[in-house]
Amino acid sequence: MDFSSKPFCTEEELFLSDNKPIRLRVFLFLFGLSPLIALYELFLRPRWKEFNLGMLPILIICAVGILMGVGLLVAAMRAENRILRFDARKKTVIYICKSPFTAMKEKKYAFHQILRAEIKTYDYEGDGSFNDYGIEITFKDNKKITIGHLASKEEILLYQKKIHAWLHW
């Protein structure tokens, strides 16, 4: 399955995807390793002779750093590539998830299971100056899938209109 990051649209199909670039995964992984140096220096090969209360804040700060590093390592390994594929001929929506350390998961929905197809706005600055747009699909089982990060509101509106036309809304 191709996990390209660009949307693809024909008269019968629409592919929307959210992909995490390999550069981001490598950066998160390497950045997550850096706090582990403190773990090595303080706990595995300690140079201090005895514990005193003055060291407690340093140990707490290092422990928080180590936890954050582990969190970044987990984020790098669990970052998912996702595809949402609309097929007008078969009247289905297929949702596909894949991460580096998990098997590909695929869930198929019929068009009649869709309750809403709305535009999702990601307002990064909080003032509307820098936005991305995606599609949020709500199914009858209350599952919501939000996918796509497009800078063009016109493009995402075009995709939403196409979905609504396929669903006869």
Side-chain angles (χ1 to χ4, degrees):
M1 182 60 56
D2 179 27
F3 281 93
S4 66
S5 59
K6 302 239 185 249
F8 176 74
C9 186
T10 66
E11 290 301 316
E12 301 291 328
E13 292 181 312
L14 170 62
F15 290 85
L16 294 170
S17 63
D18 273 342
N19 298 316
K20 307 303 179 264
I22 193 71
R23 296 180 310 277
L24 176 63
R25 292 175 200 248
V26 170
F27 174 77
L28 286 175
F29 188 81
L30 293 176
F31 198 67
L33 289 176
S34 62
L36 299 181
I37 295 168
L39 173 71
Y40 176 75
E41 289 291 327
L42 285 174
F43 299 115
L44 300 178
R45 196 179 68 128
R47 293 184 181 155
W48 41 276
K49 303 288 186 235
E50 61 185 54
F51 179 78
N52 62 46
L53 286 178
M55 292 178 62
L56 190 60
I58 295 169
L59 292 175
I60 291 172
I61 290 170
C62 289
V64 169
I66 290 166
L67 288 175
M68 289 176 63
V70 169
L72 289 172
L73 292 173
V74 169
M77 291 186 271
R78 292 200 41 148
E80 293 180 328
N81 289 331
R82 303 177 311 135
I83 290 179
L84 193 60
R85 176 182 175 222
F86 292 84
D87 188 335
R89 283 173 285 164
K90 296 179 182 175
K91 297 191 182 316
T92 58
V93 178
I94 300 171
Y95 178 63
I96 300 167
C97 272
K98 171 78 175 105
S99 72
F101 297 99
T102 61
M104 186 167 70
K105 296 177 234 166
E106 186 175 307
K107 176 81 174 169
K108 191 180 279 191
Y109 295 94
F111 276 2
H112 66 83
Q113 293 176 289
I114 298 175
L115 287 178
R116 286 186 299 282
E118 301 171 325
I119 293 178
K120 174 77 174 179
T121 302
Y122 304 98
D123 185 4
Y124 297 111
E125 298 295 325
D127 60 1
S129 63
F130 180 69
N131 292 336
D132 271 356
Y133 304 96
I135 294 278
E136 183 175 83
I137 306 296
T138 306
F139 296 94
K140 288 183 179 176
D141 64 358
N142 289 326
K143 177 158 177 77
K144 287 185 179 184
I145 297 173
T146 305
I147 196 161
H149 285 275
L150 301 171
S152 167
K153 187 170 187 175
E154 292 76 26
E155 187 177 8
I156 206 72
L157 277 169
L158 176 73
Y159 298 147
Q160 182 190 35
K161 286 178 186 176
K162 188 168 281 283
I163 293 167
H164 285 185
W166 287 336
L167 299 172
H168 305 291
W169 290 354

